[in-house]
Amino acid sequence: MTGTILIGLSIAMMLFLLAAGLTIIFGMLGVINFAHGVLYMMGGFVAVEIVRQTGSFWLSLLIAPLVVAALSALLEILLLRPLYDRDHVEQLLMTFGVILVLDEFVRTVWGLGYHDIPLPESLSGTMVVLGSDVALYRLFLIGAGLVAGIGLFALIEWTKLGIVLRGAMTHPSMVRSLGIPISTIRTIVFALGGGLAALAGTIAAPLIPVQVGMGFGIIVDCFIVVILGGLGNIRGAIAAALLLGVVRAFGQQYFAEWIELSTYVVLMVVLLVLPQGLFTFTKGRKA
């Protein structure tokens, strides 16, 4: 039981890392970023290349999110900035176009084969937790998700930058009148979301094959977490990720053939009871 719960927590933290960036981008920018999955894929491939060149997983964990965050900022400036005042459909089509371009770029540079990253030696063993053997990497995943969640929440809720971010998205004209450039705030938010996606891709790389198109499947899970938690809500994303992570862990243990169906059943039940998601934010609050 303990092992299953911890596996569920590790799945939940991975889902949260994936969905957190999508959540803040939609909640603060109002952009449906369909390209979030491909940024996750880019994080995995950049991490693979860094490990090949340096042999250090820890270095890839630091550099890959920064590289993809810079790429995300460039995409926001060049492609999304002209579309904020237009219909969401145009934004969605643009982000879908980004998927096609980045998929082709990855196919050209790294090919169509599978790539992987070996587990760091310090995290390759197991540990006994309450009588159950648990992989150290699972525990690391839980810790990484907790640190990222606490850091993101603290950034948005308790820092001056967080105040500016929330103000820029709820009262942009007021923030603009104070001399704060809204365009820069939007770029920071999109870069932060892309960096979180890349962090998830880097952490996932030792566990799953890194391949072209790996972002397509994961984007569905991202949207499920975002919808369940309440659009644009960090608290909700954490709660939804925990719920889905535990459901999937017990599903793998007891009813593996029904695990995908169980995810959609949870989604339908929650939305029937709470159509706005598990959490809703009050006016003027985005976290």
Side-chain angles (χ1 to χ4, degrees):
M1 178 67 74
T2 301
T4 303
I5 292 174
L6 288 174
I7 290 173
L9 287 176
S10 68
I11 295 172
M13 291 300 101
M14 176 58 70
L15 288 173
F16 170 71
L17 284 173
L18 282 165
L22 189 64
T23 296
I24 63 171
I25 288 173
F26 182 83
M28 294 187 172
L29 302 185
V31 174
I32 303 173
N33 181 23
F34 204 65
H36 195 70
V38 82
L39 296 177
Y40 159 80
M41 178 192 72
M42 287 297 299
F45 273 102
V46 173
V48 165
E49 190 61 33
I50 292 171
V51 171
R52 282 178 180 172
Q53 299 299 324
T54 68
S56 173
F57 168 75
W58 302 108
L59 195 60
S60 72
L61 199 62
L62 174 65
I63 296 177
L66 294 177
V67 171
V68 177
L71 172 63
S72 301
L74 186 63
L75 292 174
E76 191 277 337
I77 293 170
L78 296 179
L79 303 179
L80 284 178
R81 188 172 290 182
L83 301 180
Y84 285 120
D85 296 328
R86 299 189 185 182
D87 190 88
H88 286 305
V89 174
E90 295 187 40
Q91 300 170 1
L92 184 61
L93 289 174
M94 179 60 76
T95 58
F96 185 77
V98 171
I99 294 175
L100 300 179
V101 172
L102 290 183
D103 266 353
E104 190 60 35
F105 171 78
V106 168
R107 188 179 293 110
T108 301
V109 175
W110 285 284
L112 293 172
Y114 295 95
H115 305 268
D116 58 13
I117 293 177
L119 280 173
E121 187 175 343
S122 57
L123 298 176
S124 59
T126 61
M127 176 182 291
V128 178
V129 179
L130 297 178
S132 299
D133 287 332
V134 181
L136 286 176
Y137 200 79
R138 291 279 183 185
L139 298 177
F140 165 73
L141 217 171
I142 294 171
L146 288 173
V147 170
I150 293 171
L152 184 60
F153 185 82
L155 171 68
I156 295 174
E157 288 287 326
W158 300 329
T159 67
K160 290 183 179 180
L161 176 60
I163 293 172
V164 172
L165 291 176
R166 297 200 308 271
M169 301 313 136
T170 55
H171 300 89
S173 58
M174 179 64 72
V175 173
R176 191 178 290 110
S177 69
L178 296 174
I180 300 173
I182 298 298
S183 58
T184 301
I185 299 301
R186 287 171 170 166
T187 302
I188 291 172
V189 170
F190 201 83
L192 178 60
L196 285 171
L199 178 62
T202 304
I203 292 176
L207 298 176
I208 62 174
V210 177
Q211 58 182 311
V212 175
M214 63 185 286
F216 275 108
I218 211 67
I219 194 65
V220 176
D221 292 333
C222 287
F223 277 111
I224 289 175
V225 171
V226 171
I227 293 169
L228 275 179
L231 298 176
N233 193 290
I234 297 298
R235 296 182 187 91
I238 295 173
L242 287 172
L243 176 61
L244 286 184
V246 172
V247 167
R248 289 194 170 187
F250 279 91
Q252 290 172 358
Q253 184 74 20
Y254 300 109
F255 45 92
E257 66 275 13
W258 299 99
I259 189 168
E260 294 298 330
L261 178 61
S262 65
T263 299
Y264 295 107
V265 169
V266 169
L267 176 63
M268 289 186 293
V269 170
V270 170
L271 292 183
L272 283 172
V273 178
L274 298 168
Q276 301 301 317
L278 295 173
F279 285 76
T280 56
F281 48 78
T282 57
K283 187 176 181 180
R285 309 271 308 173
K286 293 294 179 182

